[in-house]
C-alpha cells in the first residue's frame, strides 16, 4: 500500500484518483483475511529443523517467551535453548549415538508465527558459562523479564547450582549475575530439572524438582531480593514418584503441572496435575496422571520440555514442545517435536502427529495430509530390549500387539522368550532411523502376528480415504510366510515378501481403502528356528 502511495503523489484527475482508490480497496480486501485470520503453516516432526534462511536450529532444553522486540517494538516470540557440540555431529551422522554432552552456547531465535524462526544471537557462550575455564553441565533454562530493573533474567542449571544471568534486551548477551545454592530452600544445592513459566499478569516462576531423586516439585516466584534477581519463595506442589522435565502451562484459567519419567535421555509418558492457583493444591494430590494420547509412543518419543499457550482470536491452544534428546539417546531424528494439546473439561489429551498445521493468529490447528498415523513406527519409544525387567517393566513393544501363534511365549521371566526388538548396527542406521527396529525371530520354529489398530481419536479423525502403507524390511531365508498387511472393513490389502533380503528393502501397499475410521496394520510371519526378520520405519499416510 505504501508503494502505491509513493508512486501516486502526482495524481491530477478525478479519474486517476478514482482508479487509485479502487486499487487501494482491492489490496485492503485481499490482505484483510491474512491480517485478521492469519494462515495455517506446517509443523513437521521427526526431522531436524532449520531457520527461515535454512540454517540449523540448535535449541534443546529451553523455552518460548513473548517479549517486546527491541527493533520492531512489537510482541515477538523468543525461543531460547542450549546448543551442545554433539547436536551438529549427530545431525550430520545420525547413525552414531553420542556418549558425551558438551555445552557450546545458548541460542535465541525469534518468530511472529511460532513456525518460522530467525536466529537472533548466541546470548550465552562458553566464555560466559565458564569464566574460570572449568567446564560443567549447563542446561534446562528459561528467561523472565524483571520489570523492577527493566532487565531480562536467564535461569539455567550450572553444575550443582542455579545460575542467573542478565541482559538488557531479549536478544543481547546475558552476563553473569549470581549463582544460587538451592539447599536453604529445598535441601539440595541444585534443582532436578527446571523451566521458567510466565503467568498472564507478567509474574514469572521457576518450576523445578528436588535435586536428588527428583520426587518433589516446587514453584518459586522470580523477583528482587537484597538488590539482586533471585527466588522469592518456595512452595512444594508435588511429592511422589520421581519425575523430570518439570514444566507448567495455563489453559482456561487452570494451571497444569507436567513432567516425564526418570528415564535419562529417553522418552516417557507425559504426566500432569491440575490446580486453580499456581501454588496449588494440584490434583489428584501427589498422583500425576498419564496424559491420554501419549501412551502408545511415549508422547511421540519425547520428554516434556515446555509449553506455550496460544490465545488466538478463535481458539486457545496449548503447544506441547517436547524434547527429543536424539543426539544422546539415538532415538530418531529431530531434537524438537511440537504438538497441539486438546482438552475435555480439565482433562488434557496429547495429539501424536508427525505433520500438522498451526494458525498462530486464530489458535486453530489441523492435521496435514502427509501425517503418519502409525504410533512408534520406528520402534524408538522402547528404551530397552523387550521383554524387559528393567524400568519400565514390559512384555510388549509400545503401541504394538505381538501374538505368538507358534513358538516360545513372550515373557519377562522366561529366558527362552523371544526378543521383540533389535538394536541396529551403525551400518543399519545409515538406512533406517534410530537405534532400534522390530525383530521377528525365535529359537524354535515359530509363527507370529504383530499388529497395530489405528482408529479415530477424540480429536484426530482417521478419514475414510485411500492410504499408503510403507515399511523397511530385512530378512533371512527360512520364512514360509512373511506378509505386510492392512485390514479395514471387510477388505484385506497385503504384500508378500518371498525372498530373503540381506539389505534393507522398502515394501509398499498402495491404495488401502480405510472405512469407518478404523484399520489394523501388521505383519504375519512363519519360519524355521533362528530365522530373522527386521522391520523398521513403518508409515501410513493418506494418498494425496
Amino acid at each position: 500500500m505504501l508503494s502505491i502511495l509513493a508512486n501516486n503523489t502526482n495524481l491530477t484527475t478525478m479519474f486517476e484518483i478514482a482508479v487509485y482508490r479502487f486499487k487501494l480497496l482491492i489490496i485492503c480486501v485481499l490482505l484483510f483475511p491474512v491480517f485478521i485470520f492469519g494462515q495455517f503453516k506446517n509443523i513437521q516432526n521427526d526431522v531436524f529443523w532449520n531457520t527461515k534462511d535454512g540454517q540449523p536450529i540448535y535449541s534443546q532444553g529451553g523455552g518460548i517467551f513473548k517479549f517486546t522486540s527491541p527493533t520492531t517494538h512489537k510482541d515477538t516470540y523468543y525461543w531460547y535453548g542450549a546448543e551442545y557440540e554433539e547436536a551438529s555431529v549427530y545431525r550430520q551422522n545420525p547413525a552414531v549415538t553420542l556418549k558425551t554432552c558438551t555445552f557450546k552456547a545458548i541460542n535465541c531465535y525469534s518468530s511472529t508465527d511460532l513456525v518460522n524462526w530467525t536466529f537472533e544471537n548466541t546470548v550465552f557462550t562458553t566464555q560466559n558459562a565458564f569464566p574460570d575455564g572449568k567446564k560443567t553441565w549447563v542446561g534446562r533454562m528459561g528467561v523472565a523479564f524483571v520489570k523492577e530493573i527493566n532487565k531480562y533474567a536467564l535461569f539455567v542449571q550450572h553444575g550443582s547450582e542455579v545460575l542467573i544471568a542478565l541482559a538488557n534486551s531479549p536478544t543481547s548477551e546475558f552476563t553473569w549475575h549470581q549463582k544460587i545454592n538451592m539447599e536453604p530452600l529445598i535441601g539440595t544445592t541444585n534443582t532436578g530439572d527446571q523451566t521458567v513459566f510466565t503467568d498472564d499478569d507478567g509474574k514469572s516462576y521457576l518450576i523445578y524438582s528436588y535435586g536428588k531423586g527428583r520426587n518433589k516439585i516446587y514453584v518459586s516466584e522470580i523477583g528482587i531480593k537484597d538488590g539482586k534477581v533471585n527466588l522469592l519463595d518456595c512452595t512444594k506442589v508435588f511429592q511422589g514418584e520421581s519425575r523430570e522435565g518439570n514444566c507448567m502451562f495455563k489453559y482456561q484459567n487452570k494451571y497444569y503441572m507436567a513432567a516425564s519419567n526418570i528415564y535419562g535421555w529417553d522418552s516417557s509418558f507425559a504426566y500432569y496435575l491440575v490446580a486453580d492457583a499456581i501454588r496449588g493444591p494440584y490434583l489428584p494430590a501427589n498422583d500425576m496422571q498419564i496424559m491420554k494420547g501419549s501412551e502408545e509412543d511415549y508422547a511421540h518419543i519425547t520428554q516434556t520440555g515446555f509449553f506455550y499457550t496460544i490465545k488466538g482470536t478463535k481458539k486457545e491452544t496449548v503447544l506441547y514442545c517436547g524434547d527429543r534428546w536424539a543426539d544422546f539417546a539415538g532415538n530418531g531424528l529431530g531434537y524438537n517435536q511440537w504438538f497441539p494439546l486438546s482438552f475435555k473439561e480439565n482433562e488434557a489429551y496429547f495429539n501424536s502427529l508427525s505433520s500438522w498445521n498451526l494458525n498462530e493468529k486464530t489458535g486453530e490447528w489441523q492435521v496435514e495430509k502427509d501425517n503418519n498415523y502409525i504410533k512408534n513406527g520406528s520402534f524408538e519409544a522402547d528404551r530397552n530390549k523387550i521383554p524387559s525387567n528393567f524400568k519400565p517393566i514390559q512384555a510388549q513393544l509400545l503401541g504394538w500387539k505381538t501374538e505368538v501363534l507358534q513358538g516360545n511365549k513372550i515373557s519377562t521371566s522366561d529366558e527362552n522368550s523371544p526378543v521383540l526388538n533389535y538394536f541396529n548396527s551403525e551400518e543399519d542406521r545409515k538406512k533406517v532411523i534410530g537405534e532400534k527396529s522390530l525383530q521377528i525371530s525365535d529359537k524354535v520354529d515359530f509363527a507370529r502376528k504383530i499388529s497395530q489398530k489405528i482408529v479415530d481419536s477424540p480429536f484426530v479423525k482417521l478419514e475414510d480415504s485411500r492410504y499408503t502403507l510403507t515399511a523397511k524390511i530385512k530378512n533371512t531365508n527360512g520364512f514360509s510366510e512373511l506378509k505386510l498387511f492392512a485390514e479395514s472393513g471387510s477388505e484385506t490389502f497385503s504384500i508378500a515378501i518371498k525372498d530373503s533380503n540381506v539389505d534393507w528393502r522398502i515394501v509398499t501397499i498402495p491404495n488401502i481403502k480405510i472405512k469407518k475410521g478404523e484399520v489394523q496394520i501388521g505383519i504375519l510371519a512363519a519360519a524355521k528356528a533362528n530365522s530373522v526378520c527386521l522391520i523398521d520405519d513403518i508409515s501410513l499416510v493418506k494418498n494425496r
Side-chain angles (χ1 to χ4, degrees), residues 280-326:
Y282 283 84
L283 301 175
N286 299 322
D287 183 19
M288 281 195 160
Q289 302 298 295
I290 295 174
M291 193 177 292
K292 290 184 178 179
S294 73
E295 310 100 316
E296 293 181 315
D297 59 1
Y298 280 156
H300 207 91
I301 314 174
T302 68
Q303 291 182 352
T304 47
F306 63 92
F307 298 86
Y308 192 87
T309 301
I310 306 163
K311 294 189 176 181
T313 57
K314 292 186 177 181
K315 185 177 181 180
E316 186 173 331
T317 291
V318 176
L319 190 62
Y320 172 110
C321 302
D323 282 320
R324 181 181 289 176
W325 299 94

Short mmCIF file of all heavy atoms in Angstrom, two decimals, residues 280-326:
data_model
loop_
_atom_site.label_atom_id
_atom_site.label_comp_id
_atom_site.label_asym_id
_atom_site.label_seq_id
_atom_site.Cartn_x
_atom_site.Cartn_y
_atom_site.Cartn_z
N GLY A 280 -1.13 -24.23 43.92
CA GLY A 280 -1.92 -25.40 44.23
C GLY A 280 -3.11 -25.10 45.12
O GLY A 280 -3.47 -23.94 45.31
N PRO A 281 -3.76 -26.16 45.62
CA PRO A 281 -3.33 -27.56 45.55
C PRO A 281 -3.54 -28.18 44.16
O PRO A 281 -4.55 -27.91 43.51
CB PRO A 281 -4.22 -28.26 46.58
CG PRO A 281 -5.47 -27.41 46.62
CD PRO A 281 -5.01 -26.01 46.41
N TYR A 282 -2.56 -29.01 43.74
CA TYR A 282 -2.63 -29.70 42.46
C TYR A 282 -3.26 -31.08 42.67
O TYR A 282 -2.88 -31.82 43.59
CB TYR A 282 -1.23 -29.84 41.85
CG TYR A 282 -0.75 -28.54 41.24
CD1 TYR A 282 -0.14 -27.58 42.03
CD2 TYR A 282 -0.93 -28.29 39.89
CE1 TYR A 282 0.29 -26.37 41.49
CE2 TYR A 282 -0.50 -27.09 39.34
CZ TYR A 282 0.10 -26.13 40.14
OH TYR A 282 0.52 -24.93 39.60
N LEU A 283 -4.21 -31.40 41.82
CA LEU A 283 -4.99 -32.63 41.97
C LEU A 283 -4.85 -33.53 40.74
O LEU A 283 -4.67 -33.03 39.63
CB LEU A 283 -6.46 -32.27 42.20
CG LEU A 283 -6.74 -31.40 43.43
CD1 LEU A 283 -8.21 -31.02 43.48
CD2 LEU A 283 -6.32 -32.09 44.71
N PRO A 284 -4.98 -34.87 40.93
CA PRO A 284 -5.08 -35.54 42.22
C PRO A 284 -3.78 -35.43 43.02
O PRO A 284 -2.69 -35.54 42.45
CB PRO A 284 -5.38 -36.99 41.85
CG PRO A 284 -4.89 -37.15 40.46
CD PRO A 284 -5.03 -35.82 39.80
N ALA A 285 -3.88 -35.19 44.29
CA ALA A 285 -2.73 -34.85 45.14
C ALA A 285 -1.64 -35.91 45.06
O ALA A 285 -1.89 -37.10 45.31
CB ALA A 285 -3.19 -34.68 46.58
N ASN A 286 -0.45 -35.47 44.65
CA ASN A 286 0.75 -36.32 44.59
C ASN A 286 0.57 -37.58 43.75
O ASN A 286 1.23 -38.59 43.97
CB ASN A 286 1.19 -36.71 46.02
CG ASN A 286 1.55 -35.50 46.85
OD1 ASN A 286 2.14 -34.54 46.34
ND2 ASN A 286 1.20 -35.52 48.12
N ASP A 287 -0.33 -37.51 42.78
CA ASP A 287 -0.61 -38.67 41.92
C ASP A 287 -0.74 -38.19 40.48
O ASP A 287 -1.85 -38.03 39.96
CB ASP A 287 -1.88 -39.36 42.39
CG ASP A 287 -2.19 -40.62 41.59
OD1 ASP A 287 -1.26 -41.15 40.93
OD2 ASP A 287 -3.34 -41.07 41.60
N MET A 288 0.38 -37.99 39.81
CA MET A 288 0.36 -37.48 38.44
C MET A 288 -0.32 -38.47 37.50
O MET A 288 -0.06 -39.67 37.55
CB MET A 288 1.78 -37.19 37.96
CG MET A 288 2.33 -35.88 38.48
SD MET A 288 3.81 -35.38 37.56
CE MET A 288 3.84 -33.63 37.96
N GLN A 289 -1.18 -37.93 36.64
CA GLN A 289 -1.92 -38.75 35.69
C GLN A 289 -1.22 -38.80 34.34
O GLN A 289 -0.62 -37.80 33.90
CB GLN A 289 -3.33 -38.18 35.51
CG GLN A 289 -4.12 -38.08 36.80
CD GLN A 289 -4.36 -39.44 37.43
OE1 GLN A 289 -5.06 -40.28 36.86
NE2 GLN A 289 -3.77 -39.66 38.60
N ILE A 290 -1.28 -39.95 33.69
CA ILE A 290 -0.73 -40.06 32.34
C ILE A 290 -1.63 -39.31 31.37
O ILE A 290 -2.85 -39.49 31.38
CB ILE A 290 -0.60 -41.53 31.91
CG1 ILE A 290 0.42 -42.25 32.80
CG2 ILE A 290 -0.18 -41.63 30.44
CD1 ILE A 290 0.51 -43.74 32.53
N MET A 291 -1.04 -38.46 30.56
CA MET A 291 -1.81 -37.71 29.57
C MET A 291 -2.28 -38.66 28.47
O MET A 291 -1.46 -39.31 27.82
CB MET A 291 -0.94 -36.59 28.98
CG MET A 291 -1.70 -35.57 28.18
SD MET A 291 -0.63 -34.22 27.59
CE MET A 291 -0.20 -33.40 29.13
N LYS A 292 -3.58 -38.76 28.30
CA LYS A 292 -4.12 -39.64 27.27
C LYS A 292 -3.58 -39.22 25.90
O LYS A 292 -3.40 -38.05 25.62
CB LYS A 292 -5.64 -39.60 27.28
CG LYS A 292 -6.25 -40.27 28.51
CD LYS A 292 -7.77 -40.29 28.45
CE LYS A 292 -8.35 -41.00 29.67
NZ LYS A 292 -9.83 -41.02 29.65
N GLY A 293 -3.32 -40.21 25.06
CA GLY A 293 -2.74 -39.96 23.75
C GLY A 293 -1.24 -40.11 23.72
O GLY A 293 -0.64 -40.22 22.65
N SER A 294 -0.62 -40.13 24.91
CA SER A 294 0.85 -40.27 24.96
C SER A 294 1.27 -41.70 25.26
O SER A 294 2.46 -42.02 25.28
CB SER A 294 1.44 -39.35 26.03
OG SER A 294 1.17 -39.83 27.34
N GLU A 295 0.30 -42.61 25.47
CA GLU A 295 0.62 -43.95 25.96
C GLU A 295 1.29 -44.85 24.94
O GLU A 295 2.13 -45.68 25.29
CB GLU A 295 -0.65 -44.65 26.46
CG GLU A 295 -1.51 -43.84 27.42
CD GLU A 295 -2.69 -43.21 26.71
OE1 GLU A 295 -2.48 -42.67 25.61
OE2 GLU A 295 -3.82 -43.25 27.25
N GLU A 296 0.91 -44.72 23.67
CA GLU A 296 1.33 -45.72 22.68
C GLU A 296 2.69 -45.42 22.05
O GLU A 296 3.23 -46.27 21.34
CB GLU A 296 0.27 -45.84 21.58
CG GLU A 296 -1.05 -46.42 22.08
CD GLU A 296 -2.07 -46.55 20.97
OE1 GLU A 296 -2.21 -45.59 20.18
OE2 GLU A 296 -2.71 -47.60 20.88
N ASP A 297 3.22 -44.22 22.27
CA ASP A 297 4.53 -43.92 21.68
C ASP A 297 5.35 -42.99 22.56
O ASP A 297 6.25 -42.31 22.07
CB ASP A 297 4.37 -43.32 20.28
CG ASP A 297 3.56 -42.03 20.28
OD1 ASP A 297 3.14 -41.59 21.37
OD2 ASP A 297 3.35 -41.47 19.19
N TYR A 298 5.06 -43.02 23.88
CA TYR A 298 5.78 -42.14 24.82
C TYR A 298 5.82 -40.71 24.31
O TYR A 298 6.89 -40.12 24.10
CB TYR A 298 7.18 -42.66 25.08
CG TYR A 298 7.26 -43.80 26.07
CD1 TYR A 298 8.33 -44.70 26.06
CD2 TYR A 298 6.27 -44.01 27.03
CE1 TYR A 298 8.42 -45.74 26.97
CE2 TYR A 298 6.35 -45.05 27.93
CZ TYR A 298 7.42 -45.91 27.91
OH TYR A 298 7.49 -46.94 28.81
N ALA A 299 4.62 -40.15 24.12
CA ALA A 299 4.50 -38.75 23.68
C ALA A 299 5.33 -38.47 22.44
O ALA A 299 6.08 -37.50 22.37
CB ALA A 299 4.87 -37.80 24.81
N HIS A 300 5.13 -39.35 21.44
CA HIS A 300 5.83 -39.23 20.16
C HIS A 300 7.35 -39.20 20.37
O HIS A 300 8.09 -38.43 19.75
CB HIS A 300 5.38 -37.98 19.40
CG HIS A 300 5.52 -38.11 17.91
ND1 HIS A 300 4.52 -38.58 17.10
CD2 HIS A 300 6.56 -37.83 17.09
CE1 HIS A 300 4.92 -38.58 15.84
NE2 HIS A 300 6.17 -38.14 15.81
N ILE A 301 7.80 -40.08 21.27
CA ILE A 301 9.22 -40.25 21.58
C ILE A 301 9.83 -38.92 22.04
O ILE A 301 10.76 -38.38 21.44
CB ILE A 301 10.00 -40.84 20.39
CG1 ILE A 301 9.24 -42.03 19.79
CG2 ILE A 301 11.40 -41.29 20.81
CD1 ILE A 301 9.83 -42.61 18.54
N THR A 302 9.27 -38.37 23.12
CA THR A 302 9.79 -37.13 23.69
C THR A 302 9.74 -37.19 25.22
O THR A 302 9.12 -38.08 25.81
CB THR A 302 8.97 -35.90 23.27
OG1 THR A 302 7.67 -35.96 23.86
CG2 THR A 302 8.86 -35.79 21.76
N GLN A 303 10.42 -36.22 25.82
CA GLN A 303 10.19 -35.86 27.21
C GLN A 303 9.44 -34.53 27.23
O GLN A 303 9.56 -33.75 26.28
CB GLN A 303 11.52 -35.67 27.96
CG GLN A 303 12.32 -36.91 28.19
CD GLN A 303 13.59 -36.61 28.98
OE1 GLN A 303 13.94 -35.45 29.22
NE2 GLN A 303 14.30 -37.66 29.36
N THR A 304 8.71 -34.28 28.30
CA THR A 304 8.12 -32.95 28.44
C THR A 304 9.24 -31.92 28.49
O THR A 304 10.19 -32.05 29.27
CB THR A 304 7.28 -32.86 29.73
OG1 THR A 304 8.02 -33.41 30.83
CG2 THR A 304 5.97 -33.60 29.57
N GLY A 305 9.14 -30.92 27.61
CA GLY A 305 10.17 -29.88 27.55
C GLY A 305 9.65 -28.56 28.08
O GLY A 305 10.09 -28.05 29.10
N PHE A 306 8.68 -27.99 27.36
CA PHE A 306 8.00 -26.79 27.81
C PHE A 306 6.70 -26.66 27.03
O PHE A 306 6.44 -27.43 26.10
CB PHE A 306 8.88 -25.54 27.66
CG PHE A 306 9.25 -25.22 26.22
CD1 PHE A 306 8.48 -24.36 25.45
CD2 PHE A 306 10.39 -25.77 25.65
CE1 PHE A 306 8.83 -24.06 24.14
CE2 PHE A 306 10.74 -25.48 24.34
CZ PHE A 306 9.96 -24.62 23.58
N PHE A 307 5.88 -25.70 27.41
CA PHE A 307 4.60 -25.46 26.76
C PHE A 307 4.47 -23.98 26.43
O PHE A 307 5.11 -23.14 27.05
CB PHE A 307 3.43 -25.87 27.67
CG PHE A 307 3.40 -27.32 28.03
CD1 PHE A 307 4.13 -27.80 29.11
CD2 PHE A 307 2.63 -28.22 27.32
CE1 PHE A 307 4.10 -29.13 29.46
CE2 PHE A 307 2.58 -29.56 27.65
CZ PHE A 307 3.33 -30.02 28.73
N TYR A 308 3.61 -23.71 25.45
CA TYR A 308 3.23 -22.32 25.21
C TYR A 308 1.74 -22.28 24.88
O TYR A 308 1.27 -23.03 24.02
CB TYR A 308 4.03 -21.68 24.07
CG TYR A 308 3.81 -20.18 24.05
CD1 TYR A 308 4.61 -19.36 24.83
CD2 TYR A 308 2.76 -19.60 23.34
CE1 TYR A 308 4.38 -17.99 24.88
CE2 TYR A 308 2.53 -18.25 23.39
CZ TYR A 308 3.34 -17.45 24.17
OH TYR A 308 3.11 -16.10 24.23
N THR A 309 1.01 -21.42 25.58
CA THR A 309 -0.43 -21.30 25.36
C THR A 309 -0.72 -20.16 24.40
O THR A 309 -0.38 -19.01 24.67
CB THR A 309 -1.18 -21.06 26.69
OG1 THR A 309 -0.90 -22.15 27.58
CG2 THR A 309 -2.67 -20.97 26.46
N ILE A 310 -1.33 -20.50 23.26
CA ILE A 310 -1.69 -19.51 22.24
C ILE A 310 -3.13 -19.08 22.47
O ILE A 310 -4.05 -19.89 22.42
CB ILE A 310 -1.56 -20.14 20.83
CG1 ILE A 310 -0.17 -20.73 20.62
CG2 ILE A 310 -1.89 -19.11 19.75
CD1 ILE A 310 -0.09 -21.69 19.46
N LYS A 311 -3.32 -17.80 22.72
CA LYS A 311 -4.66 -17.27 22.89
C LYS A 311 -5.07 -16.59 21.60
O LYS A 311 -4.89 -15.39 21.42
CB LYS A 311 -4.70 -16.32 24.09
CG LYS A 311 -4.44 -17.04 25.41
CD LYS A 311 -4.70 -16.18 26.61
CE LYS A 311 -4.53 -16.98 27.88
NZ LYS A 311 -4.79 -16.20 29.10
N GLY A 312 -5.61 -17.40 20.67
CA GLY A 312 -5.96 -16.91 19.35
C GLY A 312 -7.31 -16.22 19.32
O GLY A 312 -8.04 -16.19 20.31
N THR A 313 -7.62 -15.67 18.17
CA THR A 313 -8.90 -14.95 18.02
C THR A 313 -10.08 -15.90 18.02
O THR A 313 -11.21 -15.49 18.27
CB THR A 313 -8.89 -14.15 16.71
OG1 THR A 313 -8.65 -15.05 15.61
CG2 THR A 313 -7.81 -13.08 16.72
N LYS A 314 -9.84 -17.19 17.72
CA LYS A 314 -10.93 -18.17 17.68
C LYS A 314 -10.78 -19.29 18.71
O LYS A 314 -11.78 -19.90 19.09
CB LYS A 314 -11.03 -18.79 16.28
CG LYS A 314 -11.47 -17.83 15.19
CD LYS A 314 -11.69 -18.59 13.88
CE LYS A 314 -12.21 -17.67 12.79
NZ LYS A 314 -12.45 -18.42 11.52
N LYS A 315 -9.55 -19.54 19.13
CA LYS A 315 -9.33 -20.71 19.98
C LYS A 315 -8.09 -20.52 20.83
O LYS A 315 -7.12 -19.90 20.41
CB LYS A 315 -9.18 -21.96 19.09
CG LYS A 315 -9.07 -23.26 19.83
CD LYS A 315 -8.99 -24.43 18.86
CE LYS A 315 -8.90 -25.76 19.59
NZ LYS A 315 -8.82 -26.90 18.67
N GLU A 316 -8.14 -21.08 22.03
CA GLU A 316 -6.96 -21.14 22.90
C GLU A 316 -6.34 -22.52 22.73
O GLU A 316 -7.00 -23.54 22.96
CB GLU A 316 -7.37 -20.90 24.35
CG GLU A 316 -6.21 -20.80 25.31
CD GLU A 316 -6.65 -20.40 26.72
OE1 GLU A 316 -7.68 -19.69 26.83
OE2 GLU A 316 -5.96 -20.78 27.68
N THR A 317 -5.09 -22.56 22.28
CA THR A 317 -4.42 -23.83 22.01
C THR A 317 -3.11 -23.90 22.77
O THR A 317 -2.32 -22.94 22.77
CB THR A 317 -4.14 -23.99 20.51
OG1 THR A 317 -5.39 -24.18 19.82
CG2 THR A 317 -3.26 -25.20 20.23
N VAL A 318 -2.88 -25.04 23.41
CA VAL A 318 -1.63 -25.27 24.13
C VAL A 318 -0.68 -26.03 23.23
O VAL A 318 -1.02 -27.09 22.70
CB VAL A 318 -1.86 -26.04 25.44
CG1 VAL A 318 -0.53 -26.35 26.12
CG2 VAL A 318 -2.77 -25.25 26.37
N LEU A 319 0.51 -25.47 23.06
CA LEU A 319 1.57 -26.09 22.27
C LEU A 319 2.48 -26.89 23.19
O LEU A 319 3.10 -26.34 24.10
CB LEU A 319 2.36 -24.98 21.56
CG LEU A 319 3.38 -25.37 20.50
CD1 LEU A 319 2.70 -26.06 19.33
CD2 LEU A 319 4.12 -24.13 20.00
N TYR A 320 2.49 -28.20 23.00
CA TYR A 320 3.40 -29.09 23.74
C TYR A 320 4.73 -29.13 22.98
O TYR A 320 4.78 -29.58 21.83
CB TYR A 320 2.79 -30.49 23.83
CG TYR A 320 3.68 -31.58 24.41
CD1 TYR A 320 3.43 -32.12 25.66
CD2 TYR A 320 4.76 -32.10 23.67
CE1 TYR A 320 4.22 -33.14 26.18
CE2 TYR A 320 5.56 -33.11 24.19
CZ TYR A 320 5.30 -33.62 25.44
OH TYR A 320 6.07 -34.64 25.94
N CYS A 321 5.77 -28.65 23.60
CA CYS A 321 7.09 -28.61 22.96
C CYS A 321 7.97 -29.67 23.62
O CYS A 321 8.53 -29.45 24.70
CB CYS A 321 7.71 -27.22 23.08
SG CYS A 321 6.70 -25.92 22.36
N GLY A 322 8.07 -30.82 22.98
CA GLY A 322 8.78 -31.95 23.56
C GLY A 322 10.25 -31.95 23.20
O GLY A 322 10.64 -31.56 22.10
N ASP A 323 11.06 -32.38 24.16
CA ASP A 323 12.49 -32.57 23.91
C ASP A 323 12.71 -34.00 23.45
O ASP A 323 12.28 -34.95 24.12
CB ASP A 323 13.31 -32.34 25.19
CG ASP A 323 13.50 -30.87 25.50
OD1 ASP A 323 13.73 -30.10 24.56
OD2 ASP A 323 13.42 -30.50 26.69
N ARG A 324 13.37 -34.17 22.32
CA ARG A 324 13.86 -35.48 21.91
C ARG A 324 15.39 -35.38 21.93
O ARG A 324 15.99 -34.75 21.06
CB ARG A 324 13.36 -35.87 20.52
CG ARG A 324 13.86 -37.25 20.08
CD ARG A 324 13.39 -37.63 18.69
NE ARG A 324 11.95 -37.91 18.66
CZ ARG A 324 11.28 -38.20 17.54
NH1 ARG A 324 11.91 -38.22 16.38
NH2 ARG A 324 9.99 -38.44 17.59
N TRP A 325 15.99 -36.02 22.91
CA TRP A 325 17.45 -35.94 23.07
C TRP A 325 18.11 -37.00 22.18
O TRP A 325 18.87 -37.86 22.65
CB TRP A 325 17.81 -36.14 24.54
CG TRP A 325 17.23 -35.10 25.43
CD1 TRP A 325 16.05 -35.16 26.13
CD2 TRP A 325 17.78 -33.81 25.72
NE1 TRP A 325 15.84 -34.00 26.83
CE2 TRP A 325 16.89 -33.15 26.61
CE3 TRP A 325 18.95 -33.14 25.31
CZ2 TRP A 325 17.12 -31.87 27.10
CZ3 TRP A 325 19.18 -31.87 25.80
CH2 TRP A 325 18.28 -31.24 26.68
N ALA A 326 17.84 -36.92 20.88
CA ALA A 326 18.29 -37.95 19.95
C ALA A 326 19.81 -38.02 19.86
O ALA A 326 20.36 -39.09 19.59
CB ALA A 326 17.71 -37.68 18.56
#
